[in-house]
Amino acid sequence: MELDRDEKERLRQEILRRRSQLAIEEREQASRKIVQEILCSKQFQVAEIIFAYIPFRDEVDISALIEECWRMDKQIFVPKADKASRSMTFYRIESWSDLEKGNYGIMEPKRSCLSHTNEKIDLMIIPGVAFDRKRNRIGYGAGYYDRYLSRLNHKPFLMAPAYSLQIVPKIPTEPWDQPLDAIITEAEWIY
Ligand SMILES: Nc1ncnc2c1ncn2[C@@H]1O[C@H](COP(=O)(O)OP(=O)(O)OP(=O)(O)O)[C@@H](O)[C@H]1O
Ligand SMILES: [Mg+2]
């Protein structure tokens, strides 16, 4: 078990390092392709309530997808993290001006936004650091997403956008790790 934790941490650091070395143009090109793939998917097209994330540093840039949600009148919610409880609340954003800099330097919704309270989530687009072909996931290591997902009564469809360099042969899993339904890279869908 200790060895699994060490291996997760090793993979997390290695992939974060490799991701940070991607050239900006490569990142932009891959992000455009990934967003296009998600926009064309059935899951996205039928979804009315979508949970997503605000891209941070070199994460896959899904801002074009968020803008498309506004154009298509889909409701888009993004997380605000509470450090003390290591929990997240999702708030609906209607434009970029609904964001402000929050914990960890990540852009977060302002408290004046509508918070998500009812159970309905059609699609959740989740960030992550490393993934494998069994759709296991490693995040930043604080358990925010594992904790959030474990509390949902109805699991939405879980999609993770990722660069192909984030796909590794095998991720050791711990009992609380929540697997995804699909991983979308610039080269393929894993589902
Ligand atoms: N459902 C849960 N309830 C309580 N604690 C949890 C839960 N899920 C995960 N944790 C705790 O969170 C910590 C970090 O988990 P893990 O290493 O899997 O992070 P991660 O998957 O990289 O992070 P994240 O989910 O934020 O992307 C672990 O110590 C674990 O005990
Ligand atoms: Mg985990």
Side-chain angles (χ1 to χ4, degrees):
M1 288 298 108
E2 257 321 291
L3 287 175
D4 284 353
R5 286 214 67 78
D6 292 350
E7 172 64 1
K8 273 171 103 174
E9 189 53 27
R10 190 190 67 75
L11 283 169
R12 185 178 285 123
Q13 295 313 323
E14 183 190 328
I15 299 301
L16 279 175
R17 183 178 53 76
R18 284 172 49 195
R19 191 173 72 178
S20 72
Q21 290 168 344
L22 260 183
I24 290 175
E25 311 81 68
E26 285 179 279
R27 247 159 45 200
E28 286 176 351
Q29 195 182 354
S31 293
R32 271 199 299 275
K33 176 76 167 85
I34 293 164
V35 164
Q36 218 43 51
E37 287 291 325
I38 298 176
L39 293 182
C40 291
S41 71
K42 189 86 203 148
Q43 288 89 354
F44 177 83
Q45 287 176 359
V46 301
E48 292 169 356
I49 298 185
I50 300 177
F51 276 32
Y53 63 92
I54 302 297
F56 177 60
R57 298 215 177 113
D58 40 27
E59 287 176 348
V60 173
D61 184 357
I62 59 164
S63 34
L65 181 143
I66 293 174
E67 289 175 352
E68 194 57 27
C69 288
W70 290 330
R71 264 195 294 278
M72 295 176 80
D73 267 328
K74 294 178 185 292
Q75 296 195 51
I76 184 109
F77 290 77
V78 297
K80 182 170 176 61
D82 180 69
K83 254 185 177 169
S85 59
R86 294 210 155 177
S87 69
M88 300 186 284
T89 307
F90 283 74
Y91 294 85
R92 191 175 72 193
I93 55 167
E94 295 177 307
S95 77
W96 297 123
S97 61
D98 282 338
L99 299 176
E100 63 186 8
K101 195 168 265 184
N103 283 325
Y104 307 101
I106 298 174
M107 296 303 284
E108 292 187 332
K110 295 177 179 167
R111 284 187 192 281
S112 53
C113 295
L114 176 78
S115 67
H116 186 267
T117 44
N118 73 9
E119 272 292 300
K120 184 170 141 70
I121 310 169
D122 298 315
L123 169 64
M124 196 157 167
I125 301 172
I126 297 182
V129 175
F131 307 90
D132 70 13
R133 292 188 172 276
K134 288 190 167 156
R135 288 175 274 116
N136 294 311
R137 167 184 175 279
I138 292 178
Y140 288 103
Y144 278 98
Y145 277 93
D146 289 324
R147 217 173 276 115
Y148 192 87
L149 294 171
S150 75
R151 287 182 190 155
L152 292 178
N153 294 325
H154 305 282
K155 288 264 143 64
F157 192 86
L158 305 178
M159 275 186 192
Y163 306 111
S164 19
L165 67 80
Q166 292 176 265
I167 311 298
V168 302
K170 186 174 166 49
I171 284 180
T173 55
E174 294 176 283
W176 55 80
D177 283 324
Q178 303 271 338
L180 302 158
D181 293 305
I183 302 161
I184 301 99
T185 77
E186 72 280 18
E188 63 179 333
W189 278 72
I190 297 170
Y191 61 92

